[in-house]
Amino acid sequence: MSNAKSKERPEGYPDRHYLNAAHGLKSWFLTTDHKRIGLLYLLAITLFFFLGGAFAVLIRLELATPGGDLVQPETYNRLFTMHGIVMIFFFLIPSIPAVLGNFLLPLMIGAKDVAFPRLNLASWYVYMAGGIFTLWALFEGGLNTGWTFYTPLSTVYSNTAVTTAGIGIFITGFSSILTGMNFIVTIHRMRAPGLTWFRLPLFVWSQYATSLIQILGTPVLAITVLLLALERTLKLGIFDPALGGDPVLFQHLFWFYSHPAVYIMILPAMGVISELIATFSRKRVFGYRFVAFASVAIAILGFLVWGHHLFVSGQSVYAGAVFSVLSMLVAIPSAVKVFNWTATLYKGAVSWETPMLYALGFIGLFTIGGLTGVMLATMGIDIHVHDTYFIVAHFHYIMVGGAIMGYLGGLHYWWPKIAGRLYPVFLSKFAAIIIFVGFNLTFFPQFILGYLGMPRRYHSYPDEFQVLNVMSSAGATILGIGYLIPMLYFAWSMFYGKRCTQNPWGAKGLEWETASPPPTLNFDEIPTVTEEPYDYTPKEVQHAG
Amino acid sequence: MSVHVEPIRVYITIFLALMGLTVLTVWAAFQDFGVMSNPIALGIAIAKATLVVLFFMHVRHSTGMTKLVVAGGFLWLLILFGITLSDYQTRDILDPPAAMTMPVDVPGPAHH
Amino acid sequence: MQASSHHSSALAHHFDSFEQQRESASLGMWLFVAQEIMFFGGIFTAYLVYRVKNPEVFALASSELDLTLGGINTVVLILSSLTMALAVREAQLGRGKGVVSFLIATLVFGGIFLGIKSVEYSAKFEHHLVPGEHFHFAPSQEEMDHLWETKGFTPEHIDRRAEMFFSIYFAMTGLHAFHMIIGMVILLFFFRPAWRGRYNADYHNPIECFGLYWHFVDIVWIFLFPMLYLIGRA
């Protein structure tokens, strides 16, 4: 029955589109179509997401009891290291830009493709090459340095697969750089006629800001990891204290990229949320220009704050004080966004579609993550809770509560565009709710644990922390199920879902003005843009006004 | 529409200027300018790099966007240098400077 | 969709005009150069920090480098930049044979640079100035006594800081040489289209973008030369 239903074609459903334009593995693996490349990324990062998730499951299982009874301490070190490396470099950083950005950017600006389609495909292969090295590191037994690779542990003491994993990250970084270059040139040079900067969707603004960070930050991580590998292999002692080298220099260089990298994860999610809030409130985003410039401001300010990771590392207290103040400045553009989203909701025609549930979840969770970030930027508090579960909870509220909520929200919102098919409404809302509940149950107890003094990166803990840890592990189970459900119904929907109309949400934006799924060259005729973005005011009201 | 083609003489002049500056920087390295010797060496290098960027890399005739990218690249480099050094240059304020250079286990000059 | 179906035209399917195509390529390449600036920036930061921490030993270690060879290499590399710029100019004018001759010149100068660099490297191996177990830095007794009296540096301290200098020296020049090797390999791919007269006023962005890369590598050396070879010579 569902099969017959899935073959029904709504009016205007295209016969030919990018999914059936060509068949066979070669047509996918050698494609230069940004939409197909987006799907290649979707498959790859989903695999890495569940790999990283598997490590998280083992971590939470170990922490369900105070004693170290599931894995050895050394194994535990490798688990949280691989969890961090896989989730950050192979899932979060490419997630929204490489999947949704790749798919949507040319559609949103009325272009036939990104500026450099072959480079775009190359970036996927570069990503996969980096991924293979990381998997290889896993087969070598993983590594135990934490995803931060701090020296001299990573150079002198660790005899695990640091070099292999480092090479993996070095390579994958270039995939991120190539994507960033491609997007910036695309946004500058490929916009449709009439599409001025202030008519761009906010998702495009946020992708632009993200790309700036990818280009200016990633190479510094690349050279840092390369120097680390050279120190391990060729004995060039750039960070070696025995030669007068300074391990804190490694931390400076590492966080020069890795703090802005947090904004590589959260800025695209913010862009997604702006789109969702506008569509499902049927209103123009309040203070459009402020939200747009806030993205750029976050990207720039993000480069000036890295020293707050070094408050207890031997950095000068004077530099620490400056970094503390600069870090708090990031709260200003972030708050601009949160307030403007809230103001957009005000008196809007709010509907509770699945993507909107993720958007609303994002606003709440990001606010908690952001405000605890201001707490941590305060040196006095940071020194107290440094390297405790408070930090772990804080950055998971940003990365999971923020970035993954945004990613899933975006995936649900644009899925009809991507697949030309719908997913089950009730099941998707159910999944959104249990992800929200599971997330909070996992990570809110960790704020309390950290505040009470439980340090991170230990495989055992005193008995009095068990209740909160069991809550966290139970939440992680719920969260894990929550993530499995969308994966299953998206996979089902891709082939058997009910076919949808061109614009099922009644949304504004160029991406909805072409067929769903779009033709290979995106538009039958390149559109000319004449109106502001998110122009949901009915035409007669406009004339009356 | 069409591109700007520089006359050959521009390239030759810039090349000769770069040669001149190379000789100058080697000469300057052997003069005692005191604290100014590092800024002089760096200044000459910046002048040479500027010539290459403006003429060999055609930034002189490029769009404003290209100029912005070049300026942005170097600005970000300065952010990396400046903020990192702001840590190192303020560490001594708390510690006596000797602690940076004097090793604790000083046995006296043993010769290789 | 596939570019191969457009053999007759050098304009890719997703661009409207040569101008759009050329400006996209140029902007993309400049963003790549910005990326390269930051890539080298990381190791320049390391140089800066350690140079500020150990000015005396760095100056002493620097004097072990061969100024004559370094100076000749500077001239050779700037020459290769000149011929590269002229190759791009020939491409703009649509003179394929001219492009080929200047590319050969660029390749030759690049080769000379790497040859001289390898002579320098092998001298460092012979003098035990390569970081690792065999590293041994032996300045004159006079210099060591001077640093002991003025700064309290032991020979071991001097030896270790000099090893740091040479670590940075090999990382920086090695990375630079690696960029040159990559560049020379890519350069080989321009001979065929240039010889066939593919480049003209409308379509020369590939070779122009490559020129930007080559000049950037030249600029890196323009900074490496004074930073590594010229400090503390006075």
Side-chain angles (χ1 to χ4, degrees):
Chain A
M1 192 189 80
S2 71
N3 205 18
K5 210 174 168 188
S6 73
K7 282 193 174 139
E8 246 170 57
R9 281 166 182 265
E11 206 182 328
Y13 196 88
D15 290 331
R16 275 279 170 223
H17 46 78
Y18 80 102
L19 288 169
N20 66 8
H23 294 283
L25 280 182
K26 202 180 148 199
S27 79
W28 282 92
F29 287 111
L30 294 178
T31 183
T32 52
D33 181 352
H34 65 99
K35 299 180 288 300
R36 285 187 164 212
I37 295 170
L39 289 189
L40 288 177
Y41 266 116
L42 175 65
L43 267 179
I45 71 161
T46 305
L47 287 177
F48 278 106
F49 177 67
F50 283 98
L51 178 66
F55 295 123
V57 166
L58 291 171
I59 290 170
R60 281 319 319 170
L61 268 179
E62 167 62 62
L63 292 178
T65 55
D69 27 38
L70 180 68
V71 293
Q72 297 297 314
E74 177 58 24
T75 314
Y76 184 80
N77 292 346
R78 294 172 194 225
L79 285 176
F80 70 69
T81 301
M82 292 308 292
H83 169 69
I85 288 175
V86 168
M87 284 302 202
I88 287 170
F89 296 109
F90 294 91
F91 173 70
L92 283 164
I93 284 175
S95 61
I96 298 179
V99 178
L100 296 175
N102 246 328
F103 196 95
L104 293 164
L105 200 64
L107 286 166
M108 282 182 161
I109 65 168
K112 289 176 196 153
D113 206 322
V114 292
F116 310 116
R118 279 182 295 175
L119 203 61
N120 200 16
L121 179 65
S123 87
W124 185 76
Y125 279 101
V126 171
Y127 168 85
M128 292 307 280
I132 286 169
F133 271 93
T134 305
L135 292 179
W136 181 9
L138 189 60
F139 288 118
E140 281 182 75
L143 63 160
N144 60 1
T145 60
W147 77 280
T148 46
F149 288 97
Y150 274 12
T151 55
L153 170 61
S154 59
T155 46
V156 181
Y157 300 107
S158 177
N159 56 358
T160 54
V162 178
T163 310
T164 317
I167 293 170
I169 287 165
F170 178 87
I171 294 173
T172 306
F174 285 97
S175 140
S176 184
I177 292 170
L178 294 179
T179 303
M181 278 167 54
N182 223 333
F183 283 6
I184 288 195
V185 178
T186 306
I187 296 169
H188 269 283
R189 300 283 185 229
M190 311 290 283
R191 299 195 306 277
L195 189 54
T196 57
W197 283 90
F198 291 114
R199 286 176 177 174
L200 287 174
L202 287 165
F203 180 73
V204 176
W205 275 95
S206 75
Q207 281 297 337
Y208 188 87
T210 308
S211 302
L212 288 177
I213 306 174
Q214 288 176 307
I215 293 173
L216 292 167
T218 319
V220 177
L221 178 78
I223 185 75
T224 310
V225 180
L226 184 66
L227 291 175
L228 185 86
L230 289 177
E231 188 159 338
R232 282 182 72 89
T233 52
L234 300 180
K235 308 289 173 216
L236 297 188
I238 309 282
F239 305 113
D240 186 356
L243 307 186
D246 185 3
V248 178
L249 178 66
F250 174 87
Q251 299 182 20
H252 274 296
L253 295 174
F254 179 84
W255 289 111
F256 179 87
Y257 165 77
S258 296
H259 189 74
V262 175
Y263 304 116
I264 296 180
M265 305 171 204
I266 200 70
L267 273 171
M270 290 169 154
V272 169
I273 300 309
S274 297
E275 301 295 318
L276 302 190
I277 296 281
T279 298
F280 297 105
S281 310
R282 288 290 184 276
K283 266 179 77 185
R284 191 180 147 89
V285 172
F286 182 84
Y288 167 89
R289 289 190 185 210
F290 279 91
V291 179
F293 284 129
S295 292
V296 181
I298 289 174
I300 293 171
L301 284 175
F303 275 103
L304 310 178
V305 303
W306 78 79
H308 63 228
H309 294 271
L310 283 70
F311 283 159
V312 297
S313 296
Q315 174 183 247
S316 106
V317 284
Y318 300 94
V322 174
F323 277 125
S324 176
V325 174
L326 286 171
S327 303
M328 292 182 198
L329 289 182
V330 182
I332 296 171
S334 307
V336 164
K337 282 175 182 267
V338 171
F339 288 133
N340 284 9
W341 291 325
T342 317
T344 309
L345 292 170
Y346 179 68
K347 288 193 173 174
V350 176
S351 57
W352 303 90
E353 307 287 356
T354 313
M356 187 60 159
L357 298 182
Y358 283 102
L360 296 174
F362 175 98
I363 295 180
L365 300 179
F366 173 74
T367 304
I368 295 176
L371 288 176
T372 49
V374 179
M375 288 170 70
L376 292 171
T378 317
M379 263 203 286
I381 296 179
D382 184 77
I383 287 167
H384 178 65
V385 297
H386 199 92
D387 272 344
T388 67
Y389 266 85
F390 195 88
I391 304 277
V392 176
H394 155 70
F395 70 71
H396 280 91
Y397 264 78
I398 297 290
M399 292 178 188
V400 184
I404 299 186
M405 284 285 180
Y407 172 66
L408 286 176
L411 210 53
H412 282 86
Y413 177 56
W414 283 294
W415 186 258
K417 177 55 57 187
I418 294 171
R421 293 172 187 271
L422 299 174
Y423 46 83
V425 176
F426 176 79
L427 194 59
S428 64
K429 288 187 181 178
F430 173 72
I433 288 166
I434 73 163
I435 286 174
F436 184 82
V437 171
F439 172 82
N440 282 295
L441 189 57
T442 310
F443 292 105
F444 202 85
Q446 296 186 5
F447 275 126
I448 305 168
L449 281 169
Y451 188 76
L452 294 176
M454 176 169 163
R456 63 191 285 205
R457 294 181 169 177
Y458 281 86
H459 79 311
S460 62
Y461 53 82
D463 291 342
E464 62 260 37
F465 292 140
Q466 189 173 13
V467 173
L468 288 163
N469 269 298
V470 167
M471 284 168 73
S472 182
S473 293
T477 315
I478 298 173
L479 188 61
I481 294 168
Y483 286 141
L484 274 174
I485 300 173
M487 193 194 69
L488 295 176
Y489 63 67
F490 278 142
W492 173 84
S493 158
M494 192 76 202
F495 301 100
Y496 306 110
K498 184 170 177 267
R499 286 194 162 92
C500 65
T501 55
Q502 179 174 321
N503 187 357
W505 311 116
K508 294 283 178 178
L510 287 183
E511 79 268 30
W512 299 109
E513 288 181 22
T514 186
S516 303
T520 297
L521 291 182
N522 293 347
F523 298 92
D524 296 330
E525 196 182 333
I526 292 299
T528 300
V529 180
T530 54
E531 52 181 38
E532 304 291 300
Y534 318 116
D535 192 3
Y536 285 104
T537 324
K539 287 285 177 278
E540 55 271 25
V541 177
Q542 269 181 355
H543 288 304
Chain B
M1 162 74 210
S2 114
V3 289
H4 181 93
V5 182
E6 294 269 15
I8 284 196
R9 116 188 98 72
V10 172
Y11 290 116
I12 302 292
T13 312
I14 296 305
F15 170 72
L16 292 175
L18 290 170
M19 288 294 106
L21 286 169
T22 306
V23 173
L24 183 68
T25 193
V26 174
W27 172 81
F30 287 95
Q31 314 304 311
D32 192 0
F33 292 116
V35 288
M36 286 310 289
S37 55
N38 286 336
I40 286 172
L42 201 60
I44 295 174
I46 290 173
K48 287 166 77 178
T50 311
L51 289 178
V52 174
V53 167
L54 288 181
F55 292 92
F56 284 3
M57 297 168 95
H58 304 141
V59 167
R60 198 166 63 119
H61 296 293
S62 293
T63 57
M65 186 60 206
T66 304
K67 288 174 182 151
L68 191 66
V69 173
V70 180
F74 284 105
L75 178 66
W76 248 251
L77 192 62
L78 290 181
I79 290 175
L80 175 60
F81 289 169
I83 298 187
T84 307
L85 277 184
S86 78
D87 167 23
Y88 287 93
Q89 295 307 88
T90 51
R91 281 194 201 171
D92 288 354
I93 298 178
L94 282 185
D95 309 324
M100 297 280 291
T101 47
M102 185 78 86
V104 185
D105 52 337
V106 187
H111 303 306
H112 287 291
Chain C
M1 183 62 233
Q2 263 68 32
S4 54
S5 62
H6 289 274
H7 258 314
S8 54
S9 170
L11 184 65
H13 75 280
H14 57 296
F15 289 117
D16 296 328
S17 66
F18 278 110
E19 191 176 9
Q20 188 192 22
Q21 172 169 296
R22 205 171 51 234
E23 289 190 348
S24 297
S26 165
L27 178 58
M29 194 61 208
W30 273 108
L31 290 169
F32 185 78
V33 170
Q35 178 277 131
E36 285 279 359
I37 292 175
M38 297 311 291
F39 185 73
F40 278 95
I43 188 160
F44 274 69
T45 310
Y47 170 87
L48 207 59
V49 166
Y50 295 137
R51 167 87 191 273
V52 168
K53 274 176 94 172
N54 314 299
E56 301 84 6
V57 181
F58 266 44
L60 199 57
S62 160
S63 63
E64 291 288 321
L65 298 181
D66 192 324
L67 184 54
T68 316
L69 291 183
I72 292 172
N73 254 353
T74 308
V75 174
V76 169
L77 204 56
I78 293 174
L79 259 174
S80 84
S81 237
L82 173 70
T83 55
M84 189 63 230
L86 292 174
V88 173
R89 184 176 180 276
E90 292 295 300
Q92 289 171 335
L93 294 171
R95 298 197 291 232
K97 309 267 182 307
V99 178
V100 170
S101 350
F102 281 117
L103 284 182
I104 291 174
T106 308
L107 208 53
V108 168
F109 289 129
I112 295 175
F113 179 95
L114 290 176
I116 292 178
K117 199 76 231 160
S118 60
V119 170
E120 281 190 80
Y121 272 17
S122 52
K124 298 294 164 290
F125 271 98
E126 280 167 26
H127 298 146
H128 297 286
L129 291 177
V130 178
E133 278 168 41
H134 303 291
F135 183 86
H136 177 62
F137 180 62
S140 68
Q141 195 59 52
E142 193 187 334
E143 293 281 4
M144 285 209 282
D145 289 343
H146 176 72
L147 281 178
W148 168 253
E149 279 151 22
T150 53
K151 297 281 170 187
F153 291 169
T154 61
E156 166 140 16
H157 178 97
I158 295 169
D159 188 74
R160 292 295 172 83
R161 267 56 179 181
E163 192 172 348
M164 174 62 81
F165 174 86
F166 280 100
S167 288
I168 292 175
Y169 165 81
F170 277 103
M172 282 180 144
T173 56
L175 215 55
H176 176 262
F178 184 71
H179 273 76
M180 289 199 59
I181 294 168
I182 298 272
M184 288 166 69
V185 171
I186 295 174
L187 194 150
L188 297 175
F189 289 91
F190 287 97
F191 281 114
R192 224 164 87 112
W195 186 256
R196 292 185 170 185
R198 284 257 284 149
Y199 301 124
N200 54 46
D202 275 334
Y203 179 75
H204 57 268
N205 28 330
I207 194 164
E208 184 173 7
C209 288
F210 176 73
L212 293 179
Y213 174 84
W214 193 263
H215 296 311
F216 170 78
V217 175
D218 185 25
I219 289 175
V220 171
W221 184 260
I222 284 176
F223 283 98
L224 289 187
F225 177 58
M227 282 165 54
L228 296 173
Y229 288 79
L230 292 179
I231 53 173
R233 292 272 174 181

